[in-house]
């Protein structure tokens, strides 16, 4: 069935979409996701947070997972969340694990159609790099290069096939992911790259349709929005790095995600017509 090079059997239901979030962003970043793309993947999306919120639990039909990881930006606590996301994916039995940040917009139909090009029974690590060189680890005290590897930037989103996720099980499951992060002292997404590229010897496949706010969002052309998998936004000092998309006023829609959503899915009830 894979002879055509396309696996049309993959549907949204085969994908475990996980979103990392935190107490601090529950009223700023979460509501816009819940109002937009989450509506297209309610059964497949899970939020990994560090607080309890009854209202959000109701709005997501119980899809908020309290990781019991601390609400802080320290490496250890972010790795703690990734570890819980990965364990929940294994438990879910789904074919693809796709991680996103809470400042990502996920173009759900496009995510599905891109994954249809890959076989989940093979080892795939799909994403976008944030740097132009691989990460290099040096041996102390001689500073001799031990090895280098690439990683997919977490802020753009990445996907891992079930086959690969299962191979990582002995080193990464049941909280062992946290020990790896601590061992190499690198962030969660970099640690994922270390496990896959260095320990599993599987290469990252570049999928340029993933986007983080490390790129200039305004450089993405609206004609291509439908082809992209993810988008992001950021506010640096007083400057917003956001998509240039026609739609709602920037005071009402500073992140541009509502406008993007109406651009892609104009049938939504709150979209102008
Ligand atoms: N995050 C978190 N705990 C924190 C801070 C951030 O879980 O204490 C999550 C946040 O919800 C987001 C991701 O980490 O999904 C990246 O956070 P942010 O966009 O603030 O930072 P960036 O790394 O993009 O600069
Ligand atoms: Mn961010």
């Amino acid at each position: 069935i894979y002879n055509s090079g396309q696996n049309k059997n993959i549907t949204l239901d085969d994908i475990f979409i996980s979103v990392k979030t935190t107490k601090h962003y529950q009223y700023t970043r979460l509501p816009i996701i819940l109002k937009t793309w989450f509506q297209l993947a309610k059964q497949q999306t899970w939020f990994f947070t560090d607080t309890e919120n009854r209202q959000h639990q109701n709005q997501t039909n119980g899809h908020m997972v309290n990781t019991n990881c601390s609400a802080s930006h320290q490496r250890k606590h972010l790795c703690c969340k990734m570890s819980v996301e990965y364990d929940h994916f294994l438990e879910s039995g789904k074919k693809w694990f796709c991680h996103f940040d809470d400042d990502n917009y996920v173009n759900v139909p496009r995510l599905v159609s891109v994954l249809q090009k890959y076989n989940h029974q093979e080892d795939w690590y799909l994403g976008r790099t944030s740097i132009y060189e691989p990460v290099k680890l040096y041996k102390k005290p001689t500073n001799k290069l031990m090895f280098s590897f690439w990683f997919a930037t977490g802020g753009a989103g990445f996907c891992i096939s079930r086959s690969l996720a299962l191979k990582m099980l002995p080193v990464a499951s049941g909280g062992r992911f946290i020990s790896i992060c601590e061992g190499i002292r690198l962030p969660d997404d970099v640690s994922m790259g270390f496990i896959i590229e260095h320990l599993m010897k599987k290469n990252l496949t570049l999928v340029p349709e993933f986007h983080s706010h490390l790129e200039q969002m305004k450089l993405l052309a609206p004609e291509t929005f439908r082809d992209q998998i993810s988008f992001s936004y950021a506010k640096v000092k007083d400057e917003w790095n956001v998509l240039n998309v026609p739609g709602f006023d920037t005071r009402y829609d500073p992140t541009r995600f509502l406008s993007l959503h109406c651009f892609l899915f104009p049938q939504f009830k709150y979209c102008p017509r």
Side-chain angles (χ1 to χ4, degrees), residues 20-22 25 29 71-73 78 81 101-103 213:
K20 175 169 68 176
T21 187
T22 185
Y25 294 141
R29 295 186 179 187
S72 91
H73 206 111
L78 294 178
K81 264 180 206 153
D101 278 358
D102 59 6
D103 50 6
H213 56 67

Side-chain angles (χ1 to χ4, degrees), residues 21 40 50 73 75 82 114 120 123 129 131 145 159 197 208 213 218 222 225 229 271:
T21 187
L40 299 171
D50 41 43
H73 206 111
R75 179 185 62 240
M82 182 66 79
V114 170
H120 70 277
D123 301 330
T129 57
I131 46 178
L145 180 67
C159 297
E197 286 225 332
H213 56 67
K218 66 178 179 210
F225 287 171
I229 297 172
C271 298

Side-chain angles (χ1 to χ4, degrees), residues 205-221:
T205 299
L206 289 180
V207 177
E209 290 93 342
F210 287 100
H211 299 282
S212 78
H213 56 67
L214 293 171
E215 300 163 61
Q216 280 209 60
M217 286 295 116
K218 66 178 179 210
L219 297 182
L220 281 172

